């Protein structure tokens, strides 16, 4: 369980960032992950008063504040209609409704957790994060960056036309995924994102143009084999490396087939 | 120490708390003993309460964060709960009964949001409430019988 010396509800990002330079100070999102360990925190930096709990939609993008909960994502009609319900599908089995009312997108992405359904699904989109003070970087770049003391302010999902499909394999409905898979066609390229390998989600592009001639069972299988060959899987108590490879192949193939054969025109 | 005020079950309660006092401990120290401590790590749903009408897990919510908000525990929602808990009891779904307050609180939240849920919607909404004695079917049958009784009225 977490122990905290001081609690500070900050008034600005500057204040949050300054406090976050303290070695034992921590931003608190939903605090679900933080509360799992025996973390000793000097100052808990509460950013819930900074208005980062809304999803703003413009003609070009969705701007999702760091304090938006997984349940808000699940229930956002426009975001789910834009992403063919893939956001809803990615979060629906994360613990329970009460949990999803608290866990935040900021904490979820900042953690860059290996098991993350969220990192997996959003990496399949034309997505970016706004960091304070760094600025905007692509989610892919962010996922590869080392954790530092910046603040994740927003997740930005561009309304670049997309076909996307998400699925995950779980041993039990509300457990961590054994393997997570998102496939998409966006910005003229097919992507497969494989999460819970159990390492961090990895993006595999169709660099060999396997799907260029269209999606058929044959090309989908070939692409799925290519994806499985280009990811490293590992073993833990939820599944072995070989089983995960096989799951990556099966889920990629199914998800690609669900994208449909007519690309994005 | 931090001075906080929470609107708890319709009454304003002020107290001084530590920075890391969890809402579950604040509630239990103010006689809301229906709020049970189970896993303490957001897995079991035993500690479910409604904060601003939203079901949350009080084991992972800082009391300091709940300051200025409205919190309801089962102690404050007896009447609303009484409409359906008998149907659950009739199914023998309560064995040790430890999970019951969390289940009831989340069922209240479900029925407020979706007064006519399908069985799958009930299962999905209550998936974060674990019960180590029953097989969940009793709770489901109880809620279904309650909903059917409303339709028959
Ligand atoms: C029991 C359990 C089961 C889970 N199951 C799943 C699952 O099946 N699938 C899945 O995808 N996820 C799962 N998760 C992870 C969960 O969905 C969240 O991703 C996780 O709890 C982090 O979100 P949070 O809001 O609780 O963050 P917190 O615990 O508050 O923070 C996590 C970390 O991020 C930092 N942080 C938070 N917000 C910011 C910010 N805005 N800027 C900078 N740093 C920040 C914190 O300092 C901390 O180090 C699970 C978590 C738990 C506890
Ligand atoms: S005690 Fe809070 S979820 Fe288990
Ligand atoms: S009846 Fe014993 S835990 Fe549910």
């Amino acid at each position: 369980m977490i122990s905290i010396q001081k609690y500070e509800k900050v008034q600005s990002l500057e204040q949050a960032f300054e406090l976050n330079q303290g070695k034992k100070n921590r931003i608190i999102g939903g605090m679900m992950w933080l509360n799992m360990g025996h973390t000793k925190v000097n100052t808990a930096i509460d950013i819930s008063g900074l208005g980062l709990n809304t999803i703003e939609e413009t003609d070009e993008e969705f701007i999702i504040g760091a304090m938006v909960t997984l349940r808000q994502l699940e229930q956002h009609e426009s975001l789910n209609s834009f992403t063919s319900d893939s956001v809803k599908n990615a979060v629906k089995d994360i613990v329970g409704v009460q949990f999803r009312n608290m866990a935040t997108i900021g904490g979820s992405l900042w953690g860059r957790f290996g098991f993350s359904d969220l990192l997996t699904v959003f990496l399949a989109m034309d997505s970016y994060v706004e960091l304070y003070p760094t600025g905007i970087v692509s989610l892919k770049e962010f996922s590869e960056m080392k954790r530092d003391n910046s603040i994740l302010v927003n997740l930005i999902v561009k309304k670049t036309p997309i076909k996307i499909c998400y699925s995950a394999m779980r041993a039990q409905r509300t457990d961590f995924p054994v393997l997570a898979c998102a496939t998409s066609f966006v910005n003229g390229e097919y992507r497969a994102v494989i999460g819970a390998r159990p390492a961090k989600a990895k993006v595999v592009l169709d660099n060999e143009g396997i799907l260029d001639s269209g999606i058929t069972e044959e090309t989908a299988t070939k692409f799925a084999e290519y994806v499985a060959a280009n990811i490293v899987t590992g073993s833990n108590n939820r599944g072995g490396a070989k089983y995960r490879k096989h799951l990556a192949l099966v889920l990629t193939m199914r998800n690609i087939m669900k994208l449909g054969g007519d690309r994005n025109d | 120490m931090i001075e906080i005020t929470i609107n708890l079950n319709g009454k304003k309660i002020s107290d001084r708390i530590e920075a890391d006092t969890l809402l579950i401990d604040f509630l239990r120290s103010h006689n809301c003993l229906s709020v049970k401590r189970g896993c303490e790590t957001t897995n079991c749903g035993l500690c479910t309460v409604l904060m601003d009408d939203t079901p949350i897990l009080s084991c992972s919510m800082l009391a300091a964060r709940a300051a200025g908000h409205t919190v309801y525990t089962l102690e404050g929602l007896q009447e609303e709960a009484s409409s359906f808990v008998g149907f659950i009891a009739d199914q023998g779904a309560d064995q040790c009964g430890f999970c019951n307050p969390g289940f009831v609180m989340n069922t209240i939240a479900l029925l407020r949001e979706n007064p006519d849920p399908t069985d799958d919607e009930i299962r999905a909404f209550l998936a974060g409430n674990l019960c180590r004695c029953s097989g969940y079917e009793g709770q489901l049958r109880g809620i279904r019988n309650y909903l059917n009784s409303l339709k028959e009225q």
Side-chain angles (χ1 to χ4, degrees):
Chain A
M1 222 161 53
I2 192 167
S3 79
I4 299 170
Q5 296 294 316
K6 206 169 157 222
Y7 165 84
E8 188 86 39
K9 191 162 177 179
V10 293
Q11 304 298 318
S12 67
L13 282 169
E14 292 90 314
Q15 191 191 355
F17 179 68
E18 260 168 46
L19 277 173
N20 206 30
Q21 303 315 299
K23 212 172 167 203
K24 287 194 167 170
N25 297 353
R26 288 278 183 288
I27 304 280
I28 48 169
M31 215 183 80
M32 323 302 265
W33 191 257
L34 276 172
N35 201 32
M36 288 272 281
H38 294 279
T39 324
K40 283 192 166 42
V41 172
N42 274 351
T43 302
I45 309 161
D46 186 352
I47 56 169
S48 66
L50 302 183
L52 298 174
N53 58 347
T54 59
I55 302 178
E56 192 191 324
E57 182 179 359
T58 69
D59 286 346
E60 288 85 39
E61 58 199 17
F62 294 95
I63 304 169
I64 302 167
M67 292 301 288
V68 163
T69 65
L70 306 192
R71 184 83 173 141
Q72 278 174 277
L73 291 173
E74 183 180 1
Q75 293 188 311
H76 199 277
E77 281 186 17
S78 179
L79 179 66
N80 279 296
S81 127
F82 178 71
T83 61
S84 312
D85 280 342
S86 60
V87 174
K88 194 186 283 182
N89 286 335
V91 302
K92 69 178 175 28
D93 290 325
I94 302 181
V95 190
V97 165
Q98 307 97 305
F99 181 97
R100 300 197 294 278
N101 277 328
M102 298 172 78
T104 63
I105 185 67
S108 298
L109 296 180
W110 190 88
R112 286 157 275 203
F113 304 113
F115 54 74
S116 183
D117 290 287
L118 288 136
L119 190 59
T120 307
V121 75
F122 284 112
L123 275 173
M125 302 177 199
D126 189 8
S127 52
Y128 302 80
V129 288
E130 183 185 341
L131 302 172
Y132 183 90
T134 321
I136 295 177
V137 298
S138 74
L139 182 61
K140 181 162 183 295
E141 192 182 331
F142 175 73
S143 74
E144 290 158 2
M145 279 160 59
K146 275 204 167 146
R147 291 179 190 176
D148 62 14
N149 293 345
S150 54
I151 316 272
L152 198 155
V153 184
N154 289 307
L155 164 69
I156 299 162
V157 177
K158 295 277 180 201
K159 286 189 173 170
T160 310
I162 187 168
K163 282 187 172 184
I164 180 167
C165 182
Y166 184 85
S167 56
M169 171 70 194
R170 286 175 149 78
Q172 273 183 326
R173 183 173 188 162
T174 57
D175 194 8
F176 290 105
V178 181
L179 194 98
C181 172
T183 59
S184 64
F185 181 73
V186 64
N187 275 331
E189 63 189 16
Y190 284 101
R191 289 184 200 181
V193 186
I194 308 294
R197 298 178 289 120
K200 199 162 50 183
K202 180 162 170 25
V203 181
V204 182
L205 300 178
D206 182 17
N207 286 331
E208 299 194 346
I210 299 167
L211 299 169
D212 278 358
S213 56
I215 296 176
T216 61
E217 243 181 80
E218 197 189 330
T219 57
T221 307
K222 239 178 127 188
F223 179 62
E225 284 166 355
Y226 173 77
V227 170
N230 279 281
I231 53 156
V232 176
T233 52
S235 302
N236 64 7
N237 57 2
R238 286 190 174 75
K242 219 167 148 192
Y243 176 49
R244 282 195 161 96
K245 272 256 168 183
H246 185 67
L247 282 178
L249 188 144
V250 173
L251 295 186
T252 303
M253 196 190 74
R254 284 186 193 161
N255 285 358
I256 285 285
M257 289 302 289
K258 282 188 204 145
L259 291 186
D262 56 350
R263 296 184 52 130
N264 203 42
D265 32 43
Chain B
M1 297 287 264
I2 312 168
E3 172 93 32
I4 62 160
T5 301
I6 293 179
N7 191 327
L8 174 58
N9 293 327
K11 277 194 205 132
K12 279 203 167 153
I13 306 280
S14 299
D15 207 345
R16 288 169 70 76
I17 56 159
E18 301 286 349
D20 52 6
T21 301
L22 296 169
L23 183 58
I24 187 173
D25 295 313
F26 180 90
L27 297 172
R28 288 184 61 84
S29 70
H30 288 91
N31 293 325
C32 296
L33 299 176
S34 71
V35 188
K36 300 281 186 259
R37 174 171 255 115
C39 65
E40 297 187 85
T41 51
T42 67
N43 278 293
C44 74
L46 283 182
C47 62
T48 303
V49 300
L50 303 188
M51 186 158 120
D52 300 337
D53 292 331
T54 304
I56 56 137
L57 303 168
S58 58
C59 69
S60 291
M61 169 64 74
L62 290 177
R65 255 193 173 171
H69 292 269
T70 298
V71 175
Y72 273 92
T73 68
L74 192 50
E75 283 80 359
L77 295 176
Q78 289 292 313
E79 209 179 305
E80 198 168 344
S82 67
S83 59
F84 64 83
V85 286
F87 289 86
I88 296 178
D90 282 348
Q91 295 302 316
D94 292 320
Q95 290 178 28
C96 78
F98 200 58
C99 64
N100 176 281
F103 255 107
V104 171
M105 290 305 288
N106 209 24
T107 304
I108 287 175
L110 161 70
L111 297 177
R112 284 182 183 182
E113 185 178 308
N114 180 1
D116 190 18
T118 62
D119 284 359
D120 276 349
E121 285 167 343
I122 297 171
R123 283 194 192 97
F125 205 96
L126 299 180
N129 290 86
L130 303 187
C131 170
R132 62 201 165 157
C133 306
S134 77
Y136 303 102
E137 286 301 311
Q139 280 101 339
L140 180 65
R141 276 199 310 269
I143 296 170
R144 176 57 47 216
N145 287 351
Y146 163 66
L147 294 169
N148 288 345
S149 79
L150 292 181
K151 285 180 188 155
E152 281 159 18
Q153 274 170 24

